[in-house]
C-alpha cells in the first residue's frame, strides 16, 4: 500500500511540475506578445503551484513593468532575488525596472504652450492676409 501512495505522490508531483512549466511558458509567451495582464495571470497561476518560484516572480516583474506598475515590478523582482540570490536575470531586470521608473518620474508632461504659440502665429498670419474670421476661430 505504501508503494501505491508513493507512486501516486510522484505522479501528482510530476503533474504539478508540468503545470508550473506550462504556466511559466504561457507567461513568457504572453509577455512577448505584449499581453502583460495575461502574462501576470499565468505567472500567478505558476505561483499557486510553486509559491517559491523565482522564475515566476521574475516573469511577474517584467509584466508589471510592461504595465508601468513600477512598485509591483520592483517588489516582484526583489522577491525573485530573495528566493534565488544569484539569479542574474532577476537582478538585471530589477536594475532595468528602477531605471524605467526613474525615467518616468523625471519625464515632464508635454507643455500646451507650443500649441498656443502655433495658434497665435496662425492668427497673426490670418490677420496679415485680412482673413479676419480665421483670426477669431
Amino acid at each position: 500500500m505504501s508503494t501505491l501512495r508513493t507512486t501516486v505522490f510522484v505522479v501528482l508531483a510530476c503533474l504539478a511540475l508540468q503545470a508550473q512549466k506550462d504556466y511559466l511558458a504561457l507567461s513568457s509567451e504572453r509577455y512577448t506578445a505584449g499581453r502583460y495582464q495575461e502574462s501576470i495571470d499565468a505567472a500567478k497561476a505558476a505561483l499557486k503551484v510553486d509559491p517559491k518560484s523565482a522564475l515566476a516572480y521574475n516573469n511577474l516583474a517584467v509584466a508589471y513593468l510592461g504595465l508601468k506598475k513600477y512598485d509591483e515590478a520592483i517588489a516582484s523582482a526583489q522577491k525573485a532575488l530573495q528566493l534565488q540570490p544569484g539569479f542574474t536575470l532577476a537582478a538585471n531586470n530589477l536594475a532595468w525596472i528602477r531605471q524605467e521608473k526613474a525615467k518616468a518620474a523625471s519625464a515632464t508632461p508635454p507643455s500646451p504652450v507650443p500649441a498656443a504659440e502655433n495658434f497665435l502665429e496662425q492668427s497673426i498670419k490670418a490677420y496679415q492676409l485680412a482673413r479676419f474670421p480665421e483670426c477669431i476661430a
Side-chain angles (χ1 to χ4, degrees), residues 19-44 46 53-63 87 89 93:
Q20 183 201 23
K21 286 181 181 180
D22 291 344
Y23 286 130
L24 289 172
L26 181 62
S27 175
S28 295
E29 176 189 309
R30 295 299 191 243
Y31 173 80
T32 302
R35 296 162 68 176
Y36 304 122
Q37 187 57 55
E38 292 177 27
S39 176
I40 290 167
D41 295 341
K44 285 182 176 181
S53 172
L55 186 55
Y57 279 105
N58 181 70
N59 285 11
L60 271 177
V62 294
F87 193 4
L89 180 60
N93 284 335

Side-chain angles (χ1 to χ4, degrees), residues 65-94:
L65 175 60
L67 294 177
K68 298 184 183 340
K69 294 185 174 183
Y70 302 110
D71 294 334
E72 292 93 333
I74 289 170
S76 297
Q78 288 173 332
K79 182 68 175 181
L81 287 168
Q82 176 189 355
L83 292 168
Q84 189 177 332
F87 193 4
T88 305
L89 180 60
N92 291 342
N93 284 335
L94 179 59

Side-chain angles (χ1 to χ4, degrees), residues 6-30:
T6 303
T7 302
V8 169
F9 177 77
V10 169
V11 169
L12 290 175
C14 288
L15 289 173
L17 182 60
Q18 185 58 48
Q20 183 201 23
K21 286 181 181 180
D22 291 344
Y23 286 130
L24 289 172
L26 181 62
S27 175
S28 295
E29 176 189 309
R30 295 299 191 243

